[in-house]
């Protein structure tokens, strides 16, 4: 069941999503060779606490950290650790908060120092696939329009989209209906309506789409060891079209 939100609820989800955006922008400044993903987790927690919000992931199904930090062939749900980021890595940072009764959720993939042209292109295309999807997030369109936009953008660049993880509705719960696959057909699926808030999150692999989960029970990696990128925004569908909640300004 999809829960529609009133304008005052969208404002609250925006407040929460903006804290996520602020955290990601602070982390962006801190990404450089030599930093550990555990340090990033601590920074994310302290900024969140300063804003009077709660990290959304910590304790979620037993997840022990606030941030997900996924390096290179890690797709999503990488766990912060003493791992030192090095020049040429790419790192996906996925963060969520709970604030005034609503969740916000967003992710970016960032270069560590200078990266290969192949890594840069993967990140660029994955981010473009997110924006192509967001353009479809208007009332009267269908869920499949969002999914198809991601898939077409990624596949026409020679990449593949992860099948086993999806985007989601978000609101008073971190995960609400509908599930939002990153592959699908235009014109299919439920009709999009004003008042929906969607966390759209393409996960794009440079190689094949298959993934596996490491023995830690969380870290998702590409089966073929290829690089992967992940971007996510929380987006409200309004009478004036899509509104990205998880960005600054
Ligand atoms: N942003 C992810 C999601 O939408 C992260 C949640 S996984 C967690 O599902 F367990 F770390 F919380
Ligand atoms: Co999400």
């Amino acid at each position: 069941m999809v829960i529609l939100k009133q304008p005052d609820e969208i404002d609250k989800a925006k407040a929460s999503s903006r804290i996520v955006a602020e955290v990601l922008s602070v982390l962006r400044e801190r990404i450089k060779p030599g930093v550990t993903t555990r340090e990033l987790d601590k920074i994310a927690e302290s900024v969140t606490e300063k804003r009077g919000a709660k990290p959304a992931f910590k304790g979620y199904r037993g997840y022990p950290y606030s941030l997900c930090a996924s390096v290179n062939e890690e797709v999503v749900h990488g766990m912060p650790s003493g791992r030192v980021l090095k020049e040429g890595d790419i790192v996906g940072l996925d963060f969520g908060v709970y604030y005034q009764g609503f969740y916000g959720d967003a992710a970016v993939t960032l270069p560590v120092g200078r990266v290969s042209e192949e890594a840069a292109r993967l990140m660029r295309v994955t981010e473009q696939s997110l924006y192509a999807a967001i353009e479809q997030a208007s009332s009267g369109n269908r869920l499949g329009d969002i999914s198809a936009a991601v898939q077409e953008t990624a596949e026409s660049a020679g990449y593949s989209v992860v099948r086993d993880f999806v985007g989601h509705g978000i609101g008073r719960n971190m995960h609400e209906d509908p599930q939002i696959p990153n592959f699908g057909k235009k014109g299919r699926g439920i009709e999009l309506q004003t008042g929906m808030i969607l966390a759209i999150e393409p996960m794009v692999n440079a190689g094949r789409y298959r993934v596996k989960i490491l023995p830690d029970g969380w870290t998702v990696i590409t089966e073929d060891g290829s690089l992967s990128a992940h971007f996510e925004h929380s987006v409200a569908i309004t009478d004036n079209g899509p509104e990205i909640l998880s960005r600054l300004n």
Side-chain angles (χ1 to χ4, degrees):
M1 180 201 54
V2 175
I3 303 167
L4 299 180
K5 282 83 183 176
Q6 296 301 321
D8 65 301
E9 296 176 305
I10 290 177
D11 285 344
K12 287 182 185 159
K14 191 195 285 189
S16 160
S17 298
R18 275 190 179 177
I19 295 169
V20 176
E22 186 187 350
V23 167
L24 291 176
S25 105
V26 169
L27 295 180
R28 178 187 295 269
E29 300 304 312
R30 301 295 287 265
I31 296 286
K32 48 176 157 333
V35 76
T36 68
T37 53
R38 182 179 293 131
E39 291 171 71
L40 300 174
D41 186 60
K42 290 295 157 212
I43 294 164
E45 281 190 357
S46 76
V47 175
T48 303
E49 197 174 323
K50 255 190 230 149
R51 294 289 167 270
K54 277 186 49 179
F57 301 169
K58 198 171 203 164
Y60 179 81
R61 297 182 177 220
Y63 185 73
Y65 301 97
S66 296
L67 181 71
C68 296
S70 308
V71 183
N72 297 336
E73 76 285 359
E74 296 173 358
V75 178
V76 287
H77 304 167
M79 291 203 276
S81 70
R83 179 174 188 163
V84 177
L85 295 179
K86 60 179 203 309
E87 182 100 18
D89 285 343
I90 62 172
V91 57
L93 301 176
D94 187 353
F95 193 64
V97 307
Y98 182 68
Y99 182 62
Q100 293 179 353
F102 282 82
Y103 285 89
D105 187 4
V108 290
T109 300
L110 298 168
V112 182
R114 284 185 59 87
V115 301
S116 68
E117 177 48 36
E118 174 55 15
R121 178 172 171 268
L122 174 67
M123 291 188 286
R124 204 158 59 229
V125 168
T126 305
E127 189 169 26
Q128 280 166 359
S129 77
L130 172 59
Y131 282 95
I134 290 170
E135 273 182 37
Q136 297 299 319
S138 287
S139 72
N141 281 1
R142 300 254 166 196
L143 193 62
D145 299 340
I146 289 177
S147 304
V150 173
Q151 184 174 22
E152 280 166 20
T153 306
E155 291 184 353
S156 66
Y159 299 141
S160 56
V161 292
V162 172
R163 264 65 167 161
D164 295 358
F165 296 87
V166 295
H168 49 94
I170 186 168
R172 294 182 192 273
N173 304 101
M174 183 160 71
H175 294 132
E176 296 182 0
D177 286 343
Q179 292 195 1
I180 310 173
N182 291 307
F183 62 99
K185 290 198 163 58
K186 279 180 198 159
R188 304 276 182 89
I190 62 162
E191 188 174 325
L192 304 177
Q193 287 179 63
T194 290
M196 290 181 177
I197 305 179
L198 305 177
I200 303 174
E201 48 180 319
M203 289 149 260
V204 175
N205 296 348
R208 298 179 68 88
Y209 70 79
R210 284 202 185 78
V211 299
K212 61 186 182 188
I213 299 178
L214 293 184
D216 64 24
W218 283 101
T219 313
V220 179
I221 66 167
T222 57
E223 202 177 80
D224 63 8
S226 65
L227 289 178
S228 187
H230 176 216
F231 285 83
E232 177 177 19
H233 269 310
S234 295
V235 179
I237 299 178
T238 76
D239 286 332
N240 302 316
E243 181 179 1
I244 299 174
L245 304 181
S246 50
R247 76 176 172 197
L248 302 173
N249 80 50

